[in-house]
Amino acid sequence: MSPDEYCQQKTVQSGSSFYYSFLFLPPERRRAITALYAFCREVDDTVDETSDTSVARIKLAWWRTEVSTMYKGTPTHPVTQALQPHIAPCKLEEQHLQAIIDGMEMDLDQSRYLDYAGLQKYCWRVAGVVGILSASIFGYTNPQTLAYAEKLGLAFQLTNIIRDVGDDARKGRIYLPVNELQQFNVTASDILNFRHSEKFEALMQFQTDRAQKTYDEALALLPKEDRRAQRPGLMMAAIYRTLLDEIERDRFHVLNQRISLTPLRKLWLAWKTYVRA
């Protein structure tokens, strides 16, 4: 299996909505974004699939070294071997890839966030910089496009947090800020014991409204001249905002189930956005 084939398999197996936006890219850019996504999956799995935190830290330290090795031109892992040829053409910065690892390591250090400001720091590392790297792969002419991409990454992560409240609780994690739980009289015990209530619905409506506002702010930042190149991000926004609508329509029953869109619907939304953009 070649490095590109390895990354392709990793992306398909994840079942991610991102896959559907990759399908519309030219081959070279598709290989680059698939390798980036596979990198994110590898380091994320390092934390999620390793029960011993000391072992997870050792693995993340290995990835830090491997990223540095990749920038020296001698990667050893299939993912970094697939990503390395795209570093120069796409102007991918090492600090951004290292920041992603920093974000994953935060999951080993804390499972709660006191306020939204603290959560934003986490979101920037695991999603904002991914947005910047992705925009660089898609191509842009106006530097403001990077601000759009960073904000869009935040919106995606806020959506993930809303969708995955129950899944995260099963891992002992709560990404909803503590002060916002208190604001809506929802306790950590309510989340960890999967107790749905009207108070929980009000809390989740607040989270959803903020996520939708973040999408609006991101899209307002996208320069017209880069809209065509950045279509994959617009496709993802269409898919994720539709998912938010479904979660809201289901009255935020995310504690005991994972709400998702069918592959066919994702593909339809991606294609429709591609044509319109």
Side-chain angles (χ1 to χ4, degrees):
M1 183 184 297
S2 71
D4 284 333
E5 289 170 339
Y6 178 94
C7 293
Q8 175 72 10
Q9 185 179 76
K10 189 82 176 177
T11 302
V12 173
Q13 288 177 342
S14 73
S16 171
S17 298
F18 287 91
Y19 172 74
Y20 297 90
S21 65
F22 300 168
L23 295 174
F24 296 84
L25 284 167
E28 196 65 17
R29 295 188 190 276
R30 185 167 66 246
R31 283 193 288 270
I33 194 65
T34 300
L36 174 63
Y37 181 82
F39 169 79
C40 294
R41 283 259 50 89
E42 288 283 354
V43 293
D44 188 33
D45 291 346
T46 293
V47 174
D48 285 346
E49 298 179 1
T50 306
S51 57
D52 188 327
T53 57
S54 62
V55 173
R57 290 185 194 280
I58 292 171
K59 290 183 176 180
L60 288 178
W62 183 89
W63 275 107
R64 291 185 192 283
T65 301
E66 178 64 9
V67 169
S68 296
T69 300
M70 176 178 66
Y71 275 84
K72 294 174 184 175
T74 55
T76 61
H77 193 280
V79 165
T80 45
Q81 288 173 345
L83 187 58
Q84 196 273 335
H86 306 288
I87 289 175
C90 298
K91 300 179 181 178
L92 306 180
E93 296 186 19
E94 180 179 352
Q95 63 176 339
H96 289 146
L97 292 169
Q98 296 288 4
I100 295 171
I101 300 174
D102 291 339
M104 302 307 175
E105 191 163 25
M106 288 179 72
D107 279 331
L108 301 177
D109 298 324
Q110 63 184 104
S111 57
R112 305 285 190 280
Y113 291 88
L114 294 179
D115 53 30
Y116 183 57
L119 180 64
Q120 280 183 295
K121 180 180 179 181
Y122 171 78
C123 290
W124 184 83
R125 287 176 170 175
V126 301
V129 294
V130 177
I132 292 171
L133 289 164
S134 299
S136 300
I137 290 172
F138 301 150
Y140 67 93
T141 57
N142 188 326
Q144 184 175 308
T145 295
L146 296 182
Y148 143 81
E150 182 180 341
K151 178 78 73 169
L152 190 63
L154 171 60
F156 289 155
Q157 189 61 26
L158 293 177
T159 305
N160 286 338
I161 289 170
I162 292 166
R163 180 196 62 196
D164 296 339
V165 172
D167 287 345
D168 290 331
R170 279 178 272 280
K171 300 171 186 173
R173 299 174 188 163
I174 301 176
Y175 292 100
L176 306 174
V178 172
N179 67 340
E180 293 174 5
L181 292 177
Q182 295 170 341
Q183 179 183 340
F184 289 91
N185 296 313
V186 175
T187 67
S189 178
D190 290 334
I191 304 293
L192 296 174
N193 289 287
F194 316 110
R195 289 195 287 263
H196 186 95
S197 65
E198 290 185 0
K199 293 183 293 185
F200 177 75
E201 288 183 23
L203 168 66
M204 296 307 290
Q205 185 67 63
F206 177 81
Q207 304 297 321
T208 298
D209 290 344
R210 177 165 59 202
Q212 293 285 20
K213 181 182 178 183
T214 305
Y215 281 111
D216 289 337
E217 292 171 348
L219 295 174
L221 289 171
L222 178 58
K224 184 177 180 180
E225 62 266 30
D226 285 338
R227 184 176 178 85
R228 184 179 180 86
Q230 296 297 318
R231 281 184 296 190
L234 298 177
M235 295 179 211
M236 279 307 308
I239 293 171
Y240 264 51
R241 298 190 88 168
T242 301
L243 174 62
L244 275 180
D245 291 340
E246 288 296 323
I247 292 172
E248 184 175 359
R249 190 174 295 114
D250 197 50
R251 296 181 61 186
F252 306 104
H253 281 87
V254 292
L255 290 170
N256 293 294
Q257 65 176 339
R258 182 185 175 95
I259 299 173
S260 61
L261 305 179
T262 65
L264 184 60
R265 191 173 183 189
K266 292 175 184 177
L267 185 59
W268 164 250
L269 288 166
W271 180 83
K272 186 169 65 172
T273 305
Y274 178 86
V275 172
R276 288 179 176 177

